[in-house]
Amino acid sequence: MAETQITREMALGWVRSNLDSYPHAPQVSVHDPFTGESVGTIADCGSAEVNSAVAAALRAFKTGLPRAQRITILEEAARGLDTRRDEFAAVIALETGKSLKDCRTEVARATETLRYTAAEARTQSSRVIPADAAEAGEGALAMEMRVPRGVVGAITPFNFPLNTSVHKVAPALAVGCSVVHKPAHQTPLTALALQDLFREAGLGAGWLEVCTDGGGNAGRALVEHSDVAVISFTGSNVVGWEIAQKAPKKKVLLELGSNAPVIVTETADLAHAAKRIATGGFGSAGQSCISVQRVIAHQSIASKLEDHLAAVAGEIQAGDPFDPKVDIGPLISLEASSRVREWVQEAVEMGGAIVGNTPNNDSVAIAPIIISGAPEKSRIRQKEIFGPVITVLPYNTFDEALAIANDTIFGLQAGVFTSDVSEMLSAFHQLEFGGVLINDIPTVRLDHQPYGGVAESGNTREGPHYAMEELTHLRYLSIRAG
Ligand code: NAD
């Protein structure tokens, strides 16, 4: 099927006719990261708006919604999103600066996430407990029941404004929790479009409230609100763990950042691995929590792999996200681009070497950068760069490769390219990550897999089935004849 041409004007048209939430709150601008221009204003919600949103969400939660209706709404939302896919891709491209190709993929994935959630809601069931296994249980019929926890405060990042939001909103609604959503200040428009989508799908008042803000006010108010039972947060590790400290009595679910490694052994298909690594390291301009950042390559093939990577990277076009030929757009802000360039310069000054083209320093969209051998103390090795940059690090033995991969505070996903089955097995057992992908990049996330990290990268698993478990608690029921 031929793709419709999506333009910046289409996105702006949608924005102009839809921005009316909390018109009485102070307003802040949303910017197009490529042009730098303001595309509209949104409410800068504070405690007052959050209080009223939580009150509405609590009313909805207490009223309840039958499961069959929740399923219908989720299915309807999936159909609606598929119908409105161009409009959603346009809005995402406008406020994130991600290329249309990346935005179309995000919309298609979010549609699938809604479908998976609806299917999961049809089948989620509870377990009968064998009460008579204990003498005290003789004559009782006992079971566990999953009960929704209450109002969910969903806080989301800028980089995947639709899919990260759907991964919170849909499972919450599926189990009967209402949601107050606080999107990132850079990308609130997609969240408002998602609210509109659910409204059209038949979701009633209070079930999905959206509190936009200009930085962190609404987020902080949500975290501190006593009627919010769960904070489901996706974002940076620093903010995530700070929230966990601030809300010790809430269920706090954290999906955080990483510095993803991929090991390439001497038995790997190098051309194939290079293509996949370029997708994983440079897609979405590297602004993905599972973006490939460290490529750990056997010393006998490291330089050949760098040549392959440079060749693939040279074909990637950076520029205006609305140009259908462009693969990667700008980073979210000029500050983010300056930070990335500073980290690259630091790695080079410390002894790393740029492979292939020298990075363009004058454009808002950074072309892919490959650094051979970034030193251990450089920020590229230690932290999450969140830009289209990878470093290639040589190793001697496979154990050394595993040690380099594990040498990080993060633990989201790791990848290994090898033909050796014993290496596959030891990688699975020894890599300290939430997901290990053999002969693939760590950047692959199936929307129904258990997805999440260990250590600094988080404390939960998303994917409809797993999120629905986290958003419910178990209530035990025992019945005896009276
Ligand atoms: P961020 O942590 O700066 O912000 C995330 C959200 O938290 C935003 O909505 C922000 O307004 C809000 N916030 C900021 N301070 C707050 C506070 N004190 N209290 C409550 N809310 C607050 O992250 P970002 O820059 O928007 O996103 C990038 C980060 O997200 C990266 O670290 C990336 O790895 C991570 N991420 C993780 C996943 C995952 O699934 N693990 C997915 C996407 C992004």
Side-chain angles (χ1 to χ4, degrees), residues 382-397:
Q382 306 274 334
K383 296 181 153 205
E384 180 182 36
I385 189 156
F386 234 52
V389 184
I390 57 175
T391 181
V392 180
L393 309 167
Y395 74 86
N396 286 314
T397 64

Side-chain angles (χ1 to χ4, degrees), residues 155-159 182 184 215 233-236 255-257 289 384 451:
I155 304 180
T156 50
F158 74 81
N159 62 329
K182 208 304 282 178
F233 175 87
T234 298
S236 63
E255 286 282 0
L256 309 175
C289 47
E384 180 182 36
Y451 178 76

Side-chain angles (χ1 to χ4, degrees), residues 427-482:
F428 174 74
H429 290 297
Q430 291 178 55
L431 285 171
E432 292 150 14
F433 291 80
V436 175
L437 289 94
I438 307 292
N439 287 318
D440 215 338
I441 42 176
T443 326
V444 174
R445 174 184 184 178
L446 305 179
D447 287 293
H448 59 303
Q449 75 170 77
Y451 178 76
V454 297
E456 275 290 315
S457 292
N459 64 3
T460 188
R461 294 293 177 269
E462 281 191 347
H465 172 83
Y466 309 95
M468 284 163 70
E469 289 201 336
E470 293 280 49
L471 296 167
T472 47
H473 60 82
L474 287 178
R475 184 174 289 159
Y476 174 69
L477 171 67
S478 166
I479 306 175
R480 282 180 192 281

Side-chain angles (χ1 to χ4, degrees), residues 97-318:
K98 291 198 299 185
S99 70
L100 282 178
K101 292 178 193 176
D102 285 336
C103 297
R104 285 187 197 273
T105 306
E106 180 170 354
V107 176
R109 281 186 52 197
T111 311
E112 281 297 281
T113 307
L114 285 165
R115 290 193 184 120
Y116 285 131
T117 313
E120 195 63 38
R122 277 191 189 281
T123 52
Q124 192 192 47
S125 55
S126 300
R127 213 164 52 101
V128 171
I129 311 280
D132 59 352
E135 267 178 38
E138 195 65 47
L141 173 64
M143 62 194 82
E144 59 175 40
M145 298 291 287
R146 290 220 159 258
V147 181
R149 288 184 186 271
V151 175
V152 174
I155 304 180
T156 50
F158 74 81
N159 62 329
F160 284 84
L162 182 62
N163 208 27
T164 55
S165 305
V166 167
H167 267 291
K168 301 191 179 310
V169 172
L173 297 176
V175 298
C177 291
S178 54
V179 182
V180 178
H181 181 197
K182 208 304 282 178
H185 69 276
Q186 304 95 325
T187 56
L189 306 176
T190 309
L192 294 169
L194 181 65
Q195 184 187 38
D196 182 50
L197 180 83
F198 271 107
R199 218 181 272 140
E200 273 192 352
L203 190 66
W207 283 99
L208 175 56
E209 296 288 317
V210 178
C211 287
T212 55
D213 70 5
N217 287 341
R220 279 187 282 274
L222 200 52
V223 168
E224 280 159 20
H225 202 297
S226 56
D227 286 336
V228 173
V230 180
I231 292 291
S232 177
F233 175 87
T234 298
S236 63
N237 59 316
V238 175
V239 175
W241 291 110
E242 188 186 306
I243 287 176
Q245 275 189 342
K246 291 230 167 96
K249 294 192 181 159
K250 293 191 202 312
K251 180 87 174 168
V252 177
L253 307 171
L254 301 174
E255 286 282 0
L256 309 175
S258 192
N259 172 335
V262 60
I263 297 173
V264 184
T265 69
E266 65 276 36
T267 60
D269 173 344
L270 295 190
H272 170 67
K275 272 197 193 134
R276 298 295 295 144
I277 290 168
T279 303
F282 309 134
S284 301
Q287 298 170 115
S288 158
C289 47
I290 35 179
S291 188
V292 172
Q293 195 167 321
R294 293 173 298 143
V295 180
I296 303 157
H298 189 267
Q299 58 172 3
S300 64
I301 50 95
S303 129
K304 207 159 162 203
L305 180 67
E306 285 174 356
D307 292 344
H308 279 291
L309 285 168
V312 190
E315 285 168 13
I316 293 175
Q317 198 170 328

